Amino acid sequence: MVKSLTISLIALIIMKNLNMTIIGLSFLTIMSMEATSVVMKKVEFNGLYSMDLVMGMMITLTLFVSFLSYLSSAKIARKSSFNLVIISISIVLVMSFSVSSFFLFFFFFESVLGPLLLLILGWGYQPERLQAGGYMLIYTVFGSLFFLWGVSELYMSGVSSSMSSVSGMVKKSAMSLWWLYILGFLIKLPMYPFHLWLPKAHVEAPVAGSMLLAGVVLKLGGYGLLRLMMVMQVSLSSLVFVLLLMINLVGGFYAGLGCVRQVDLKCLVAYSSVAHMSLVLLGVLSNTVLGVVGAIIIMIGHGLCSSGLFSYVNSIYKSSHSRLLVMNKGGLLTCPSLVIMCFLLSSSNMAAPPSLNLFGEILIFGVSGWMSGAFLFILGLMSFISACFSLYLYGSCSHGKGLMYMDSLSMSSVCDVFVLVAHWLPLNFLFMFMP
């Protein structure tokens, strides 16, 4: 499956005819969903075998978002250098989800920063892209060194370096610093307060970089944490564990409050990612089947929804040449088709039925209620503030009086609407392929 999807990716990027690309993407989407459904029917959702399911879903998500990011960058996609960077990012991400060794995962985990940094520096919008690239490089590399140290300690303690098999028991001395070993994943997710690099990278990156960063790269943190927790036994009653989850949930709620007061569209969508990834961290660290399943579902749903919102922001940016909310009002008057997609994606972002985010949040709510009533209360506040900033995004861009200099219906190309629809359909109907 991986080989056929990779060949299809390269073929679509080489194509010059946009109509043929859209037709090819349609068939590829159906093939990806069918392949994922076959994997889900063959693999049981228990024990270590669930990791094969996660691998297949993450690879499919990577290739799917890569295609859509290429279509959203139609103006600059004719450059061979841009195509090479997109292909490089896609290949490294696929290899990151395909390897079964912690050391190989660390190599590809860090290798994705190279082409992603080139994408931001080469096709970024503002001179501040140098600072954004530096923030991203320093944060992620610094945290990943602790992950390498932790994997080395686990290997020296008798644990196999393979993700799919566990040999030996972990020494208690090696387990005492588990919170330090996962620092690289907390930064990549990102968890509050290690999120400062994310809004800067999103604002300065081109639309393809933002879509890949939010749709796939952030999932490396959750995927790696899920793998590492297989060989680490963390006490749910330890002080460090409770403190980590409290900071995570309170930080996620604070990030949601920050979304409500944002004036930049890209910053709003970027901070919403911080709020949603806090749910993923809670599910993975809960060490329960329902929590892990809920975290996986939220990762898939967020990857589709956040990538679609960034594509929508790019569509209206091409008309107004501004990311400010006050400069992008009156969407119902200029382009109703984009407004419809904005409403559908915003409703999915607030976990409205039948989106994947709803099923994931229901499972996370159940796990949090079992763990602590305080966690459940904070999650309720996060769910409320998520609805607030999603409606804030839709209402600010759709209603009001539009500016005179904005382009009319020409801003809504067939490609833009198709990319948004391609994000929304699997986000709301992928549950039909589940066993």
Side-chain angles (χ1 to χ4, degrees):
M1 180 184 69
V2 178
K3 182 178 179 181
S4 60
L5 290 179
T6 306
I7 295 175
S8 302
L9 166 66
I10 299 175
L12 279 178
I13 292 180
I14 294 176
M15 285 183 179
K16 299 299 183 181
N17 193 322
L18 181 60
N19 295 329
M20 292 299 297
T21 304
I22 293 177
I23 294 175
L25 178 58
S26 303
F27 283 105
L28 183 64
T29 304
I30 298 174
M31 183 183 66
S32 301
M33 291 184 177
E34 188 64 26
T36 303
S37 65
V38 171
V39 174
M40 296 179 73
K41 291 178 181 177
K42 292 183 178 179
V43 180
E44 296 182 2
F45 228 132
N46 52 20
L48 301 179
Y49 293 101
S50 62
M51 292 298 101
D52 296 332
L53 171 62
V54 178
M55 179 186 298
M57 297 179 70
M58 289 293 117
I59 292 175
T60 304
L61 177 66
T62 301
L63 298 175
F64 186 67
V65 174
S66 299
F67 298 141
L68 298 182
S69 65
Y70 173 77
L71 290 181
S72 297
S73 307
K75 290 185 177 180
I76 59 177
R78 299 177 182 177
K79 300 180 179 180
S80 58
S81 56
F82 178 82
N83 296 341
L84 181 61
V85 172
I86 294 295
I87 293 176
S88 301
I89 295 177
S90 303
I91 292 177
V92 172
L93 288 173
V94 169
M95 294 302 299
S96 300
F97 294 123
S98 302
V99 296
S100 60
S101 172
F102 279 117
F103 292 105
L104 287 177
F105 178 77
F106 170 79
F107 173 76
F108 291 109
F109 184 81
E110 290 299 302
S111 298
V112 73
L113 294 177
L116 191 61
L117 188 62
L118 290 177
L119 189 65
I120 295 176
L121 297 180
W123 290 273
Y125 296 119
Q126 306 293 337
E128 288 79 7
R129 60 181 181 269
L130 296 175
Q131 183 185 17
Y135 266 70
M136 182 182 68
L137 192 64
I138 293 174
Y139 266 87
T140 54
V141 171
F142 175 76
S144 299
L145 293 178
F146 293 101
F147 165 59
L148 180 61
W149 176 31
V151 171
S152 302
E153 287 287 338
L154 294 177
Y155 182 76
M156 297 300 294
S157 300
V159 178
S160 173
S161 61
S162 175
M163 296 179 178
S164 58
S165 63
V166 180
S167 61
M169 299 297 294
V170 182
K171 295 180 180 179
K172 292 184 178 181
S173 59
M175 295 294 298
S176 59
L177 297 177
W178 64 269
W179 53 271
L180 190 60
Y181 299 160
I182 66 174
L183 182 61
F185 300 134
L186 300 183
I187 294 176
K188 186 77 76 173
L189 268 174
M191 167 192 165
Y192 183 91
F194 308 114
H195 67 287
L196 296 178
W197 66 272
L198 183 65
K200 289 183 176 294
H202 273 309
V203 169
E204 304 303 330
V207 57
S210 297
M211 294 174 65
L212 287 171
L213 189 61
V216 186
V217 176
L218 299 187
K219 308 307 174 291
L220 284 175
Y223 178 80
L225 184 62
L226 191 63
R227 293 287 197 178
L228 192 60
M229 293 302 294
M230 292 174 55
V231 299
M232 295 174 60
Q233 298 179 358
V234 180
S235 176
L236 301 182
S237 60
S238 63
L239 178 61
V240 178
F241 178 81
V242 176
L243 183 61
L244 179 65
L245 287 185
M246 284 299 298
I247 295 176
N248 169 56
L249 293 178
V250 174
F253 174 69
Y254 183 73
L257 290 177
C259 290
V260 181
R261 59 186 301 270
Q262 289 296 322
V263 296
D264 190 301
L265 288 169
K266 270 198 168 184
C267 285
L268 195 156
V269 182
Y271 276 101
S272 68
S273 298
V274 180
H276 286 100
M277 287 298 102
S278 60
L279 302 178
V280 174
L281 182 59
L282 175 63
V284 174
L285 291 182
S286 65
N287 274 336
T288 60
V289 176
L290 291 181
V292 172
V293 173
I296 295 172
I297 294 176
I298 291 180
M299 282 195 294
I300 299 297
H302 174 266
L304 295 170
C305 185
S306 183
S307 176
L309 287 176
F310 276 115
S311 178
Y312 168 75
V313 170
N314 178 71
S315 300
I316 62 177
Y317 172 79
K318 290 188 296 185
S319 174
S320 64
H321 305 287
S322 175
R323 295 190 305 267
L324 298 179
L325 286 170
V326 70
M327 305 293 289
N328 291 284
K329 293 182 175 294
L332 283 171
L333 300 176
T334 58
C335 186
S337 58
L338 284 182
V339 171
I340 293 175
M341 296 312 304
C342 177
F343 171 76
L344 294 176
L345 289 174
S346 298
S347 62
S348 300
N349 196 43
M350 69 173 72
S355 64
L356 293 177
N357 294 327
L358 174 66
F359 298 107
E361 288 194 12
I362 289 176
L363 296 177
I364 298 298
F365 267 80
V367 171
S368 65
W370 168 76
M371 296 176 65
S372 173
F375 291 169
L376 184 61
F377 175 74
I378 299 176
L379 279 180
L381 294 178
M382 291 176 59
S383 179
F384 172 75
I385 203 65
S386 176
C388 289
F389 65 70
S390 298
L391 291 176
Y392 173 62
L393 171 64
Y394 166 73
S396 299
C397 296
S398 304
H399 299 280
K401 185 177 181 180
L403 299 178
M404 297 299 296
Y405 65 86
M406 290 184 66
D407 297 335
S408 184
L409 294 178
S410 59
M411 66 177 289
S412 174
S413 65
V414 177
C415 183
D416 293 335
V417 177
F418 176 81
V419 169
L420 296 177
V421 173
H423 278 100
W424 182 79
L425 286 179
L427 177 60
N428 289 269
F429 296 100
L430 191 60
F431 68 94
M432 298 175 60
F433 295 90
M434 295 182 180

